[in-house]
Amino acid sequence: ATPAALMVGVGKGAEAGILIRGAEHLERAVRLTTVVFDKTGTLTKGEPVVTDVVLLPDTGNRPSLTEADVLRLAAAAEANSEHPLAAAIVRRAEMSGTAPPVASSFEAIPGCGVCVHVDGCEVLLGNRRLMADRGVAVSDHAEATMLRLEEDGKTAMLLAVDCQLAAVIAVADTVKDNARDAVAELRRDGIAVVMLTGDNERTAFAIARQLGIDRVIAGVVPQDKAREIQRLRDTGEVVAMVGDGINAAPALATADIGVAIGSGSDVAKETGGLVLIRDDV
């Protein structure tokens, strides 16, 4: 009778928009102790918008830049990136009537940002780690600006031109309408909820507070997300990982159960043992 019951369960799941890619995933699910959510595109809508462009004082001999100049360079840097934050910057530049130039080179630094060459200048766009790795000094004024934006739940990025800071660009995403209810329901069932993100702790905890999540693993570069999942499993937790992007695929594969959001990348959907057909956690 057990195979028949499992077959019926898988069919009922499909009717409810849950694709269960094998009975073993269904059997593991009953033992779950922890659900880990990726943030962008899973708990948030993945449709961020640029909220702030803060010009920084010129500390060297670079030409002074306007907001339009900053958006133009940032859009050129992000034109080849598939990250939702990159798309937000390109959209903002287009809306302001700024046509970004074509970068002559493009280097993506996972978990840090991008480096491109535009109009004969080297342009860096990313986080503090990128600036530190490339020898760009972050002034107290720039740091204070970033802290203020991050405490509002925004992701703040630094733009540098020829190794000199030029601006801080802030991008904000909004949480999904159903995410807080999902978190509350899991916690009522005695399941621990964790948010895993590459964002820094201030931004991550600001979003987590909106969702009722008190356990956050922040500042994790994509290649280390699977390691964090394995670390939870090593403590005896039975872990489900929920994500929608290419960056989450290794973590989905490492978890006891990988749950892919149907709106996400094909790689994530191929990796997940469960696929949520609708974009509804």
Side-chain angles (χ1 to χ4, degrees), residues 20 43 58 64 72 101 108 132 148 155-156 170 172 205 207 209 221 236 251 270 277:
I20 302 167
L43 291 172
D58 181 10
S64 59
R72 179 174 172 272
R148 172 177 58 80
T155 299
F205 274 102
I207 297 294
R209 282 193 294 271
V221 295
E270 285 299 318
I277 302 301

Side-chain angles (χ1 to χ4, degrees), residues 74-83 86 102-109 113-118 123 125 134:
E78 296 287 27
N80 292 315
S81 175
E82 296 180 350
H83 197 281
V102 177
S104 59
S105 67
F106 175 83
E107 179 188 3
I109 302 97
V114 295
C115 173
V116 301
H117 285 85
V118 182
V123 177
L125 180 62
R134 298 302 175 102

Side-chain angles (χ1 to χ4, degrees), residues 62-138:
R62 66 166 171 78
S64 59
L65 300 177
T66 65
E67 180 175 318
D69 294 329
V70 167
L71 288 171
R72 179 174 172 272
L73 292 173
E78 296 287 27
N80 292 315
S81 175
E82 296 180 350
H83 197 281
L85 300 184
I89 290 173
V90 174
R91 279 197 305 273
R92 172 63 180 272
E94 290 173 346
M95 287 170 59
S96 65
T98 301
V102 177
S104 59
S105 67
F106 175 83
E107 179 188 3
I109 302 97
C112 292
V114 295
C115 173
V116 301
H117 285 85
V118 182
D119 295 342
C121 299
E122 181 185 73
V123 177
L124 298 171
L125 180 62
N127 57 20
R128 296 173 179 85
R129 188 184 300 135
L130 175 65
M131 298 302 153
D133 290 346
R134 298 302 175 102
V136 178
V138 177

Side-chain angles (χ1 to χ4, degrees), residues 249-266:
L252 293 177
T254 303
D256 293 285
I257 300 177
V259 183
I261 303 289
S263 62
S265 71
D266 291 338

